[in-house]
Amino acid sequence: RCLHAGQYSQLAAMLSRGSLVVASVAAASAFQPTTLSGFQPKVRSAACDVSMQANGYQKVAAGLAALPLAFSLGAADANALSSADVRSLTYQQIKGTGLANRCPEVEVNGDSIELQKGTKYKITDLCLEPKSFQIEEEIVKKRTGETKKEFVDTKLMTRATCTLAGVEGPLFYDKDGSLTFLEKEGIDYAATTVQLPGGERVPFMFTVKDLEAKSTDPSGISAGTEFGGTFKVPSYRSGLFLDPKGRGGTTGYDMAQALPGMEADGVEGQEELFKETNKVFQVTDGTIEFAVNKVDAATGEFSGVFVSEQLSDTDMGSKAPKKVLLKGIIFGKVGAATGEESY
């Protein structure tokens, strides 16, 4: 039917308001944090064949290369945050949004960051944001009855508090010509807990403490540059922690079952009882590999993806640790050392 002039005006106003709402929702979604949804955990084969051996990070590279393109880009472009975006936000704008758990990303891929041998550099504002948490489990195939170890998807239980930020350390060429980064300070650990499909919760200390990562890039840092190395994983609990029965590593009771319990038969159950009583502070090794995919030579910023493997908590020696596989995005800034650094 034909519309009168007044009806045309009303229709145009409605369409205009609808477009404004859509635009507002799109703009707001650009700054929403990328959270881990409550997906149903599923079992899948490990994307990386890694080990905790000294050269395990070389194997992690295979998993890094196999990451899907969508994951290598991290969040969608609309949800990516640059360092300028982060600096422009106030505390009130960040509070309660989860943005504090986000790592910024380089917006454009520019020229490489040229580094001169013999000159001291440093990496600052290094940020690692895990996007995926997997635990190695023994899976029994229903048809064949075969038992196989696979990495299982998990659900994050500690909310948006698992990102490492402000990590820094020297960057230099060592004697063999390898570009080397040594982690020295920053928020380099985060107590994290994930839940397996069966409901079991696995705590671990996500960290890159004492990381020594090396790259064979002879000229500097550019898109495609890869670093790999090992780091130390401290115990999830300190020696002052007391278990429910008052036993601890440096304080508390030596044993809670008393002598009759220790001398029951001298054989059965003694090993498990000893592990529960003899608290130890264990430090294990982890491996990491990260690849750069975007570089801004003007600011010295770079971003990319990482794959890390480490061990979970042992409850101060009483439980066997599980292998934890993490994948996520990484961001950092390269600059010249001023000589005022503590390292």
Side-chain angles (χ1 to χ4, degrees):
R1 293 185 301 175
C2 296
L3 298 177
H4 299 293
Q7 292 175 317
Y8 271 117
S9 300
Q10 295 177 358
L11 180 60
M14 292 173 61
L15 292 176
S16 178
R17 288 194 297 269
S19 301
L20 181 60
V21 171
V22 172
S24 301
V25 172
S29 64
F31 287 92
Q32 291 299 316
T34 304
T35 59
L36 294 175
S37 59
F39 59 87
Q40 291 294 328
K42 59 182 180 181
V43 176
R44 65 183 183 192
S45 300
C48 307
D49 179 20
V50 293
S51 68
M52 304 307 292
Q53 303 299 324
N55 296 326
Y57 68 86
Q58 295 177 350
K59 296 182 180 181
V60 182
L64 187 64
L67 289 176
L69 178 61
F71 177 77
S72 67
L73 294 177
D77 290 341
N79 291 329
L81 290 175
S82 66
S83 57
D85 294 331
V86 176
R87 288 192 297 267
S88 66
L89 297 175
T90 65
Y91 172 77
Q92 291 298 333
Q93 289 174 315
I94 295 176
K95 180 181 178 182
T97 64
L99 293 177
N101 196 52
R102 296 277 303 278
C103 286
E105 299 179 54
V106 177
E107 293 181 313
V108 295
N109 190 14
D111 298 331
S112 62
I113 302 173
E114 300 293 337
L115 302 176
Q116 302 296 327
K117 293 184 178 180
T119 304
K120 295 182 179 180
Y121 299 94
K122 63 180 178 179
I123 292 181
T124 58
D125 298 330
L126 188 66
C127 180
L128 292 92
E129 179 189 349
K131 299 280 191 180
S132 170
F133 305 84
Q134 292 179 306
I135 302 294
E136 187 180 56
E137 287 281 271
E138 288 189 354
I139 306 301
V140 179
K141 302 295 183 181
K142 293 183 179 180
R143 294 184 179 180
T144 62
E146 178 186 0
T147 302
K148 184 179 180 181
K149 289 187 176 181
E150 296 181 350
F151 282 99
V152 180
D153 291 333
T154 62
K155 180 180 179 181
L156 181 65
M157 304 304 295
T158 44
R159 300 185 180 181
T161 59
C162 55
T163 293
L164 308 183
V167 178
E168 62 178 270
L171 179 69
F172 57 92
Y173 284 98
D174 58 14
K175 296 180 180 180
D176 62 1
S178 298
L179 185 60
T180 305
F181 168 68
L182 301 179
E183 188 274 333
K184 291 297 183 180
E185 59 187 33
I187 304 177
D188 53 8
Y189 67 93
T192 309
T193 301
V194 295
Q195 181 171 292
L196 291 167
E200 179 185 358
R201 296 190 176 183
V202 180
F204 63 95
M205 188 70 76
F206 173 44
T207 181
V208 288
K209 276 188 173 295
D210 297 333
L211 169 64
E212 182 178 352
K214 294 190 175 185
S215 172
T216 56
D217 196 321
S219 60
I221 299 178
S222 59
T225 299
E226 295 184 4
F227 283 84
T230 60
F231 55 89
K232 297 296 182 181
V233 183
S235 175
Y236 186 80
R237 304 189 190 279
S238 71
L240 297 177
F241 172 79
L242 297 178
D243 69 7
K245 295 185 178 181
R247 298 168 296 188
T250 59
T251 185
Y253 295 106
D254 289 335
M255 52 188 172
Q257 286 82 4
L259 291 175
M262 294 288 289
E263 299 172 353
D265 56 10
V267 181
E268 186 178 357
Q270 296 305 300
E271 182 179 358
E272 181 179 353
L273 183 59
F274 175 78
K275 290 181 178 180
E276 289 284 353
T277 301
N278 185 38
K279 305 293 185 181
V280 293
F281 186 91
Q282 293 181 317
V283 179
T284 58
D285 294 326
T287 59
I288 188 172
E289 178 86 10
F290 59 89
V292 177
N293 56 25
K294 288 185 179 181
V295 175
D296 188 349
T299 61
E301 297 176 344
F302 65 88
S303 62
V305 292
F306 76 89
V307 177
S308 174
E309 184 185 352
Q310 62 176 78
L311 295 179
S312 68
D313 174 44
T314 64
D315 199 12
M316 303 191 75
S318 63
K319 298 179 181 178
K322 298 178 181 291
K323 285 186 179 181
V324 183
L325 185 66
L326 304 103
K327 306 172 188 176
I329 63 175
I330 189 170
F331 171 88
K333 186 175 182 179
V334 178
T338 62
E340 299 178 356
E341 295 83 7
S342 60
Y343 43 82

